[in-house]
Amino acid sequence: MNADSRTVPRRAPGSGTGPLPTPPRRAVVPLGLFAAVAGAFAYVGAVDPNEPGHYPVCPLYALTGLYCPGCGGLRGAHALVHGDLPAALRDNAPGVAACLGFAVLWVVWTVRAARGRPLRIGLGPAHLWTAGALLLVFTIIRNLPFGGWLHP
């Protein structure tokens, strides 16, 4: 090891002059994704999807009058941004569950990336089929006469 290959320790924040610590380079992608998702949620929080004309209509609903599993997702996200969890669950409960799942997955990914470890998701075919079946049942029930409480 020569003198040029040594690492110079950084000073702790607030302990004097010198560069502040930056996030590890491997955490840049999770932080960039967080910035994009935060920007999208900020936009949906600022532009109310409950007012007509701000967002396009769901193509399935426009053509058939049937609600897809994503119908009400923007309204649910808007309600989440404003802290109204009951309204968010009423608008699209699977969307709220997906937001929660994404948040947990993002935190795990960021911590693992900061530690230099890869993210491994152990979802097998059974998990994916189960999620698909639950979304299908949700979609069918919300379009039946007794499923009106699931309409966005």
Side-chain angles (χ1 to χ4, degrees):
M1 178 188 279
N2 60 29
D4 294 333
S5 64
R6 290 184 298 163
T7 59
V8 178
R10 297 182 189 208
R11 294 176 185 243
S15 66
T17 61
L20 293 175
T22 58
R25 186 176 179 155
R26 56 189 169 254
V28 169
V29 174
L31 293 175
L33 180 64
F34 176 78
V37 170
F41 269 86
Y43 181 79
V44 171
V47 180
D48 190 359
N50 295 305
E51 296 178 18
H54 290 265
Y55 298 97
V57 177
C58 172
L60 180 68
Y61 183 75
L63 293 172
T64 65
L66 297 174
Y67 296 107
C68 76
C71 282
L74 285 174
R75 283 173 276 208
H78 180 78
L80 274 179
V81 168
H82 291 278
D84 191 356
L85 184 60
L89 288 169
R90 183 183 63 244
D91 288 332
N92 192 319
V96 173
C99 287
L100 176 63
F102 174 80
V104 169
L105 183 64
W106 181 83
V107 168
V108 170
W109 181 28
T110 304
V111 168
R112 291 184 66 84
R115 293 180 178 171
R117 301 179 72 191
L119 177 65
R120 293 198 176 96
I121 302 172
L123 293 178
H127 297 103
L128 298 176
W129 279 103
T130 301
L134 288 172
L135 279 177
L136 180 64
V137 168
F138 170 75
T139 304
I140 291 170
I141 290 174
R142 81 185 316 198
N143 285 294
L144 292 175
F146 62 86
W149 57 279
L150 291 173
H151 292 176

